[in-house]
Amino acid sequence: MATKANIEEHKNVWVFAEQNNGKLAKVSLEMLGEGRKLADKLGVELAAFLIGDNVKTSAETLIAYGADKVFLAEDPELKEYRTELYTDIICKKALEEKPEILIIGASAIGRDLTPRVSFRLNTGCTADCTELDIDEEKRLLVSTRPAFGGNVMATIICPEHRPQMSTVRPGVMAVPEADASRTGEIITVPVEIKPEEIKVRVIESNEKEHEGEKIEDAEKVVGIGIGASDPESVEYVKELAKVLGAKIGGSRPCVEKHIIPHEVQVGQTGKNIRPELYIPCGISGTVQHTTGITNAKYTIAINKDPNAEIFKFANLGIAGDAKVILPAIIKEIKKYKA
Amino acid sequence: MKIIVTIKQVPNVTKVKWDADGSLIRAGLPTIINPVDKHAIEAALELKEKHGGEVIVISMGPGQVESALREALCMGADQAIQLTDRKFAGADTWATSYALGCAIKKIGDYDLVISGVEAMDGNTAQVGPQMAEFLGLPLLSYALGIESDGKKVQIQQKLGDFERKIEADFPALVTVEKEINEYRVTPMDKILEAFEKEIPVWEADDVDAELVHLGLKGSPTKLRKVFSPKIEKGKVQMLEGTPEEIARQVADKLNEKFLI
Ligand SMILES: Cc1cc2nc3c(=O)[nH]c(=O)nc-3n(C[C@H](O)[C@H](O)[C@H](O)COP(=O)(O)OP(=O)(O)OC[C@H]3O[C@@H](n4cnc5c(N)ncnc54)[C@H](O)[C@@H]3O)c2cc1C
Ligand SMILES: Cc1cc2nc3c(=O)[nH]c(=O)nc-3n(C[C@H](O)[C@H](O)[C@H](O)COP(=O)(O)OP(=O)(O)OC[C@H]3O[C@@H](n4cnc5c(N)ncnc54)[C@H](O)[C@@H]3O)c2cc1C
């Protein structure tokens, strides 16, 4: 095992571009937006690393979203994600090219792959970040992440090892504007896979069915909390969501009570949302919940306790009983639409 | 079947305090076994019950991790090993995985290593995958179910929007989700047995770990600062009036912002 890196040799920012069945993960576009900012601050190139089978068309998309270069590794054996195959390809190239930063979306695949890559490259990885920045004086990546269930934030650096690696929670960074006129270079990465050496066999793979749009992508979200979890309030929440065309999300206790599925839990152990409108109903506003809503653009909170924490995260606050307020709001909105 | 389970002792996250230079004040904090690690122990015990063999739990941490290991013995683990040495202190996930990996190598001759997906304090989910890399093991992560025929292991994997069935030959490393099982309530006879068992304490030298890779010094990541999450106070406008008046103001505002 090598020890410290020769820092001057390392240059450029890399983003891992995740795809599933040929479809780019949204979080990877978010990473390109963030990677672009970091690369510009450092005055270096941004490269995307794309792995899969027959995924070349996505390489153009990555350039449109901000990559200067795309490293493209294709092979039929790479159709299904496998930790070690991906790790081998990325590490081999990273040792040749010596990037100074590698950022990856903290999706299920990202969180499976990144630690293995970082261990092999003998470098550190900051997990599930919500903020990245450059310390320009020391030319260091400065990563901030929640820990202890969201009760603390930690700022972490990796001063003596390269690349500096971080994963970033989906939904935290904005997807940049695509620019189809951008040009870039696509570099084919040679792939040598010996099928007999592959250790993990994929027997079956099924995409879970989604009821339409994901909560992370929803433009409007109505949040349901314990204070609105009685059957009557739940009906009002559903109706409000319907008249607004919103998705229903909510707090973890409501998931535990099977009022909403885990896919729409908002917060530390759920999803980060970034809607134009968020209406939390009967949600107290614990830090575990609010880490997931800081990117909501406009928030209207309803809670019967005028001192509830949730109001600190709201633009409009309504101190009142959800059972009384919700039907009144539904009625007024219907009037507007009529 | 020889199964090694890694368990972490974690403080009760709601009662965390920090000292001036950002180190966690552990003294006086109630501790528990990281909840998902109990499911890891249960998964190992169930495999052992089907196929025979032994379950060994290991934990790295200060002296008090003995109580976590004791609890694992109570659940039915055959053996527990405690990794305690000041040299391990302050480790990031890289150095943690290295130290645990050295201990697993020393135990040797195992078929499976099982860990939790994520610890409820550090929340990185990096230690499982990094131990797999250090040990050169195939990684089967996010297990919702686990089966074995005594030669290979197959899991039901929750991979984001996908659910997969994947398998690998022994030896392999599996990380488990809490949905994998319901863990058992400790049977009385095991409790007495567990308190008689000796728990060996291994230090860095015992596991042939290289000093440069251990603890704070061996950690590539450095904690620059810790702070409380920021709350943007005072920007909220509280609406007053009857429910109808409030509702009208809400609808007006939504209309103004093109949200209806
Ligand atoms: C490690 C860890 C991770 C966690 N992850 C998450 C997570 O990802 N997401 C999450 O949400 N939680 C998470 N939690 C749980 C979190 O700590 C809180 O328990 C949870 O967010 C509280 O949910 P709540 O606001 O619905 O309920 P409560 O805290 O019980 O709040 C209910 C609120 O409703 C109000 N209310 C009561 N009646 C009415 C009424 N009639 N009309 C209007 N208001 C009313 C009350 O004033 C109160 O403020 C996590 C906890 C831990 C320990
Ligand atoms: C505020 C804060 C933020 C941090 N952020 C980072 C970071 O971004 N990157 C980084 O590299 N380090 C970080 N660390 C350090 C990290 O928390 C420690 O290295 C910790 O020992 C392991 O990480 P974890 O708790 O996230 O475990 P996870 O990787 O989440 O644990 C997964 C599983 O590994 C096993 N395991 C973990 N630790 C042990 C142990 N001591 N003994 C036995 N089994 C174990 C358990 O089975 C557990 O379920 C941070 C520490 C603090 C205080």
Side-chain angles (χ1 to χ4, degrees), chain A residues 63-115:
Chain A
I63 292 170
Y65 278 96
D68 299 310
K69 263 186 197 163
V70 177
F71 292 105
L72 175 67
E74 292 182 301
D75 190 283
E77 285 290 357
L78 297 170
K79 189 167 164 45
E80 283 282 353
Y81 167 73
R82 274 172 294 183
T83 321
E84 285 165 288
L85 299 182
Y86 273 49
T87 304
D88 290 348
I89 292 167
I90 294 172
C91 290
K92 191 160 173 256
K93 202 72 194 161
L95 289 170
E96 284 168 29
E97 299 279 332
K98 302 190 186 345
E100 59 188 302
I101 290 175
L102 168 54
I103 58 174
I104 299 183
S107 60
I109 285 180
R111 295 179 104 213
D112 175 285
L113 173 68
T114 316

Side-chain angles (χ1 to χ4, degrees), chain B residues 85-111:
Chain B
D85 190 328
R86 292 193 73 86
K87 295 182 187 116
F88 296 138
D92 72 355
T93 66
W94 201 106
T96 299
S97 306
Y98 173 77
L100 287 169
C102 287
I104 292 169
K105 274 190 180 168
K106 162 115 193 241
I107 297 168
D109 210 18
Y110 52 85
D111 299 301

Side-chain angles (χ1 to χ4, degrees), chain A residues 148-151 169 224-230 233 250-256 262 265-271 278 280-292 302-311 318-326, chain B residues 12-14 118-121 123:
Chain A
F148 290 79
N151 283 293
R169 294 202 75 177
I224 189 162
I226 285 301
S229 62
D230 59 288
S233 303
S251 68
R252 184 158 100 172
C254 292
V255 174
E256 282 158 0
H262 183 253
Q265 179 188 317
V266 174
Q268 172 75 19
T269 47
K271 299 292 178 347
Y278 182 47
C281 308
I283 292 181
S284 60
T286 59
V287 53
Q288 290 84 11
H289 184 79
T290 53
T291 48
I302 303 170
N303 193 305
K304 73 172 184 195
D305 172 8
N307 297 315
E309 281 292 308
I310 192 74
F311 290 127
I318 302 166
D321 187 338
K323 276 190 290 302
V324 178
I325 298 293
L326 286 173
Chain B
N12 190 333
V13 287
T14 52
E118 180 175 327
M120 76 184 284
D121 53 351
N123 295 126

Side-chain angles (χ1 to χ4, degrees), chain A residues 12-153:
Chain A
N12 298 327
V13 176
W14 281 16
V15 165
F16 169 69
E18 174 183 336
Q19 57 78 27
N20 297 290
N21 283 345
K23 193 168 163 277
L24 281 174
K26 183 164 168 244
V27 68
S28 298
L29 302 180
E30 297 167 8
M31 290 307 91
L32 281 175
E34 196 59 20
R36 188 71 260 167
K37 285 186 212 156
L38 300 175
D40 289 345
K41 272 192 192 160
L42 292 165
V44 297
E45 283 187 334
L46 175 67
F49 211 110
L50 178 64
I51 302 178
D53 180 29
N54 247 321
V55 290
K56 193 164 182 183
T57 48
S58 294
E60 305 287 349
T61 311
L62 296 169
I63 292 170
Y65 278 96
D68 299 310
K69 263 186 197 163
V70 177
F71 292 105
L72 175 67
E74 292 182 301
D75 190 283
E77 285 290 357
L78 297 170
K79 189 167 164 45
E80 283 282 353
Y81 167 73
R82 274 172 294 183
T83 321
E84 285 165 288
L85 299 182
Y86 273 49
T87 304
D88 290 348
I89 292 167
I90 294 172
C91 290
K92 191 160 173 256
K93 202 72 194 161
L95 289 170
E96 284 168 29
E97 299 279 332
K98 302 190 186 345
E100 59 188 302
I101 290 175
L102 168 54
I103 58 174
I104 299 183
S107 60
I109 285 180
R111 295 179 104 213
D112 175 285
L113 173 68
T114 316
R116 190 155 196 149
V117 170
S118 81
F119 197 95
R120 189 173 302 174
L121 294 177
N122 188 44
T123 189
C125 178
T126 308
D128 296 341
C129 301
T130 51
E131 208 182 309
L132 300 179
D133 202 359
I134 299 288
D135 175 336
E136 287 178 47
E137 191 186 324
K138 299 202 169 76
R139 204 184 166 88
L140 280 178
L141 176 66
V142 181
S143 308
T144 300
R145 67 177 297 255
F148 290 79
N151 283 293
V152 298
M153 301 296 289

Side-chain angles (χ1 to χ4, degrees), chain A residues 1-3 20-21 80-84 87 107-109 111-112 115-116 118-120 122-128 131 135 138 140 142 144-161 167 199-208 210 214 220 243-244 262 268 276-277 279 287-288 298 300 306 309 311-319 324-325 328-329 332-333 335-337, chain B residues 11 13-14 16 18 24 92-95 97-98 117-118 120-127 129-134 136-142 152 154 156-169 178-179 210 212-213 218-240 242-244 246-255 257-260:
Chain A
M1 256 177 279
T3 41
N20 297 290
N21 283 345
E80 283 282 353
Y81 167 73
R82 274 172 294 183
T83 321
E84 285 165 288
T87 304
S107 60
I109 285 180
R111 295 179 104 213
D112 175 285
R116 190 155 196 149
S118 81
F119 197 95
R120 189 173 302 174
N122 188 44
T123 189
C125 178
T126 308
D128 296 341
E131 208 182 309
D135 175 336
K138 299 202 169 76
L140 280 178
V142 181
T144 300
R145 67 177 297 255
F148 290 79
N151 283 293
V152 298
M153 301 296 289
T155 299
I156 293 173
I157 51 172
C158 177
E160 288 166 336
H161 299 258
T167 64
K199 288 184 182 162
V200 173
R201 300 175 286 275
V202 179
I203 313 292
E204 217 178 275
S205 175
N206 298 304
E207 189 160 5
K208 276 187 277 174
H210 271 289
K214 293 185 195 171
K220 295 172 190 167
V243 297
L244 285 170
H262 183 253
Q268 172 75 19
E276 295 299 318
L277 173 66
I279 306 185
V287 53
Q288 290 84 11
Y298 196 74
I300 305 176
E309 281 292 308
F311 290 127
K312 292 180 182 159
F313 295 82
N315 302 81
L316 284 188
I318 302 166
V324 178
I325 298 293
I329 294 179
E332 285 299 325
I333 294 176
K335 271 194 212 162
Y336 254 105
K337 296 182 112 180
Chain B
V13 287
T14 52
V16 166
W18 307 86
L24 171 68
D92 72 355
T93 66
W94 201 106
S97 306
Y98 173 77
V117 166
E118 180 175 327
M120 76 184 284
D121 53 351
N123 295 126
T124 67
Q126 294 191 153
V127 171
Q130 292 187 325
M131 290 191 295
E133 170 61 18
F134 178 66
L137 299 177
L139 168 67
L140 299 99
S141 56
Y142 314 120
K152 58 179 189 293
Q154 189 173 93
Q156 194 68 31
Q157 181 185 48
K158 178 171 125 194
L159 192 69
D161 292 340
F162 289 80
E163 233 179 80
R164 311 199 298 183
K165 197 179 273 178
I166 59 175
E167 65 168 34
D169 295 338
K178 65 175 191 301
E179 292 90 340
E210 283 181 60
V212 288
H213 295 308
S219 295
T221 65
K222 306 286 176 207
L223 210 52
R224 207 178 228 194
K225 67 169 190 211
V226 284
F227 55 100
S228 295
K230 60 168 182 271
I231 299 176
E232 291 170 41
K233 283 184 193 167
K235 65 168 184 174
V236 63
Q237 177 198 345
M238 296 301 287
L239 297 179
E240 311 280 342
T242 64
E244 290 70 32
I246 288 174
R248 200 159 320 125
Q249 295 175 64
V250 169
D252 286 346
K253 201 72 179 177
L254 291 177
N255 183 54
K257 295 198 160 277
F258 300 104
L259 290 164
I260 45 176

Side-chain angles (χ1 to χ4, degrees), chain B residues 35-233:
Chain B
V36 72
D37 296 354
K38 284 196 175 179
H39 297 275
I41 298 169
E42 177 65 34
L45 293 173
E46 286 174 14
L47 286 172
K48 177 194 145 177
E49 280 154 11
K50 267 192 212 144
H51 301 279
E54 60 176 330
V55 174
I56 303 168
V57 288
I58 62 172
S59 187
M60 182 179 97
Q64 57 179 329
V65 301
E66 190 197 328
S67 65
L69 291 167
R70 205 53 81 187
E71 194 181 335
L73 289 173
C74 285
M75 281 177 73
D78 299 284
Q79 223 198 104
I81 294 162
Q82 179 180 339
L83 284 177
T84 301
D85 190 328
R86 292 193 73 86
K87 295 182 187 116
F88 296 138
D92 72 355
T93 66
W94 201 106
T96 299
S97 306
Y98 173 77
L100 287 169
C102 287
I104 292 169
K105 274 190 180 168
K106 162 115 193 241
I107 297 168
D109 210 18
Y110 52 85
D111 299 301
L112 266 182
V113 179
I114 306 183
S115 79
V117 166
E118 180 175 327
M120 76 184 284
D121 53 351
N123 295 126
T124 67
Q126 294 191 153
V127 171
Q130 292 187 325
M131 290 191 295
E133 170 61 18
F134 178 66
L135 296 165
L137 299 177
L139 168 67
L140 299 99
S141 56
Y142 314 120
L144 297 172
I146 184 168
E147 268 172 55
S148 175
D149 62 1
K151 290 197 179 69
K152 58 179 189 293
V153 58
Q154 189 173 93
I155 69 155
Q156 194 68 31
Q157 181 185 48
K158 178 171 125 194
L159 192 69
D161 292 340
F162 289 80
E163 233 179 80
R164 311 199 298 183
K165 197 179 273 178
I166 59 175
E167 65 168 34
D169 295 338
F170 285 165
L173 188 144
V174 175
T175 71
V176 304
E177 299 277 6
K178 65 175 191 301
E179 292 90 340
I180 194 170
N181 54 37
E182 299 279 334
Y183 56 78
R184 65 197 61 196
V185 182
T186 302
M188 263 330 266
D189 54 325
K190 292 280 185 204
I191 295 183
L192 296 174
E193 223 178 272
F195 276 87
E196 281 160 17
K197 278 189 180 145
E198 245 190 79
I199 300 179
V201 178
W202 288 358
E203 298 183 354
D205 289 343
D206 297 316
V207 297
D208 302 321
E210 283 181 60
L211 222 55
V212 288
H213 295 308
L214 290 179
L216 194 60
K217 278 212 183 100
S219 295
T221 65
K222 306 286 176 207
L223 210 52
R224 207 178 228 194
K225 67 169 190 211
V226 284
F227 55 100
S228 295
K230 60 168 182 271
I231 299 176
E232 291 170 41
K233 283 184 193 167

